[in-house]
Amino acid sequence: MPESKSNKSSNSIERIRREKKKRNNNIILACFLSLFVGHYILNYVAAIEDPPLGVTFNIVLGCTIIAIAGIIMFITIKRQYFPKKRNKTRHIFLDEDYKNKMSSKKQHSDEAES
């Protein structure tokens, strides 16, 4: 019976990882599309003779879309492929034996000093 619980938990962990990877891939795809839209606005819409909303607005809009998409893509790729390394900590639980051992060491050090 415990094997089925661990199997269920490992399946759920794997499912969560797959969903997270799929979500990150969708974000990266949306950023690529945004980069192309920003590039199109910057190089083609702003370059026509009388663009809608003016040349300056289209240049600023194209550059802003490219910058935001690039930053989001960089952060998403960094999180997905270069995760933070966790420091392994060793937990010490104080039980009666440990307390007795420490108190006896303290008594020995006190006796050695006097």
Side-chain angles (χ1 to χ4, degrees), residues 30-44 58-74:
C31 287
F32 270 122
L33 293 175
S34 298
L35 284 173
F36 287 123
V37 168
H39 184 272
Y40 178 77
I41 290 172
L42 184 62
N43 289 331
Y44 298 107
N58 285 315
I59 291 172
V60 170
L61 180 67
C63 289
T64 305
I65 290 173
I66 290 172
I68 291 173
I71 291 170
I72 292 172
M73 188 179 348
F74 174 75

Side-chain angles (χ1 to χ4, degrees), residues 9-74:
S9 65
S10 66
N11 285 342
S12 64
I13 291 171
E14 288 299 320
R15 186 188 53 173
I16 290 170
R17 286 182 184 162
R18 281 193 311 265
E19 289 173 357
K20 187 175 181 182
K21 192 169 186 176
K22 185 178 179 182
R23 185 181 67 233
N24 286 341
N25 288 339
N26 288 340
I27 291 171
I28 292 171
L29 180 66
C31 287
F32 270 122
L33 293 175
S34 298
L35 284 173
F36 287 123
V37 168
H39 184 272
Y40 178 77
I41 290 172
L42 184 62
N43 289 331
Y44 298 107
V45 175
I48 61 177
E49 189 170 317
D50 189 24
L53 300 175
V55 176
T56 306
F57 177 78
N58 285 315
I59 291 172
V60 170
L61 180 67
C63 289
T64 305
I65 290 173
I66 290 172
I68 291 173
I71 291 170
I72 292 172
M73 188 179 348
F74 174 75

